[in-house]
Every structure is written in structure tokens, then in C-alpha cells.
């Protein structure tokens, strides 16, 4: 019998949130990475689109991230495109809500005002494209000195993009 999310160490509030969405059986990438990621170990995973990678890093984020201070997030997810940033943010919102944590996406092509307001209010998890994140750091709008968890989503694509 394959392991359940609970067997892999996912906390009960998150298991219930997943079950409420009809997600009960972990995918192979989740089985391979969740125990180590939940324990705070570094992991590297490679799997095709639609294989559950976002949950593979999102569940440990939700289980481990703590509350952030204004302008000082506790976790950072770097992504190559604004479309992926929005998609990851949407998935993480569903995972972070049951544990009382926040997420916001930061990418170019949109105004700075809402993004700056979110940072001033305090965002636990920042999902960002590298260019916009660099702009925000340069402006002093965000500091990364308290980031405890970093995820590079589609790192190969970001490397290809330079």
C-alpha cells in the first residue's frame, strides 16, 4: 500500500486541507521529497509538468514557515515567469491559509504599489521573479536576511534564461 500524506509526515491541518480538495494520494515526487523537506533538509527534485512538484515544496513550506516581520519574509520561492509566479501563489495560498500564513507574488509588468504595500504589511512567503525581486531589494522594500527557506522552481529554465 502506498504511503499517505500523513505517513510522510505532513501535519494534520494540511492533510485535512488536501483531503478537502480531493487530494489524498501523494505523487512519486512527493513521496521522494516530503520526509526530508519536512525535516528541514535540502532536496532537489526533477519531474515533468503536472507531477505534483508544487505540493512537494509547498507542503514543507506551509509546515515550516513562521510569521514574517514587515519587509522581511521567512521563505522565498524564485520562479522564471509571472505566469508561474501567479500559479504558485494560488497553490500556496490554499496550503498556507490553514496554518495562518501569507503569500504574495512579485513580478514585473504590474505596478509596484500593491507589492510594496504587501511587503510593508509583512508577507511570510514571497514568490518572485528574479528581476522584480532584485528591484525590490535595490529599493530597500524587502530584505532577505531572515529568509529560512528558499525554493528554486524551474531552476533549469531560469539558468537557460540567464
Amino acid at each position: 500500500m502506498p504511503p499517505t500524506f500523513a505517513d510522510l509526515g505532513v501535519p494534520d491541518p494540511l492533510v485535512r486541507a488536501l483531503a478537502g480538495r480531493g487530494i489524498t494520494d501523494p505523487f512519486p515526487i512527493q513521496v521522494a521529497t516530503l520526509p526530508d523537506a519536512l525535516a528541514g533538509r535540502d532536496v532537489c527534485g526533477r519531474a515533468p509538468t503536472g507531477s505534483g512538484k508544487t505540493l512537494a515544496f509547498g507542503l514543507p513550506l506551509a509546515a515550516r514557515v513562521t510569521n514574517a516581520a514587515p519587509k522581511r519574509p521567512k521563505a522565498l520561492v524564485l520562479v522564471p515567469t509571472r505566469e508561474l509566479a501567479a500559479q504558485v501563489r494560488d497553490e500556496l495560498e490554499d496550503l498556507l491559509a490553514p496554518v495562518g500564513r501569507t503569500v504574495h507574488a512579485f513580478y514585473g509588468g504590474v505596478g509596484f504599489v500593491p507589492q510594496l504595500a504587501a511587503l510593508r504589511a509583512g508577507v511570510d512567503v514571497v514568490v518572485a521573479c528574479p528581476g522584480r525581486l532584485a528591484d525590490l531589494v535595490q529599493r530597500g522594500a524587502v530584505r532577505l536576511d531572515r529568509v529560512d527557506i528558499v525554493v528554486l522552481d524551474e531552476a533549469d529554465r531560469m539558468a537557460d534564461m540567464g
Side-chain angles (χ1 to χ4, degrees), residues 30-107:
Q30 297 156 359
V31 172
T33 60
L34 282 173
D36 285 329
L38 287 163
R41 295 184 193 95
D42 293 342
V43 297
C44 180
R46 182 176 175 192
T49 299
S51 62
K53 292 184 300 290
T54 305
L55 283 180
F57 68 75
L59 288 167
L61 268 178
R64 299 188 66 239
V65 74
T66 57
N67 286 333
K71 298 184 181 184
R72 287 191 154 127
K74 298 298 281 191
L76 171 64
V77 180
L78 283 176
V79 297
T81 66
R82 74 180 102 195
E83 295 81 13
L84 186 57
Q87 178 185 339
V88 169
R89 178 210 51 227
D90 291 347
E91 182 67 36
L92 292 180
E93 280 178 343
D94 291 341
L95 297 175
L96 293 168
V99 294
R101 302 293 185 258
T102 59
V103 61
H104 195 86
F106 300 87
Y107 47 84

Side-chain angles (χ1 to χ4, degrees), residues 2 7 35 49 69 78 113 153:
D7 294 337
T49 299
L78 283 176
V113 174
D153 194 8

Side-chain angles (χ1 to χ4, degrees), residues 24 35 38 47 49 57 60 63 70 94 123 127 137-139 147:
T24 56
L38 287 163
T49 299
F57 68 75
D94 291 341
V123 176
V127 179
V137 168
Q138 189 173 43
R139 289 172 177 248
V147 169

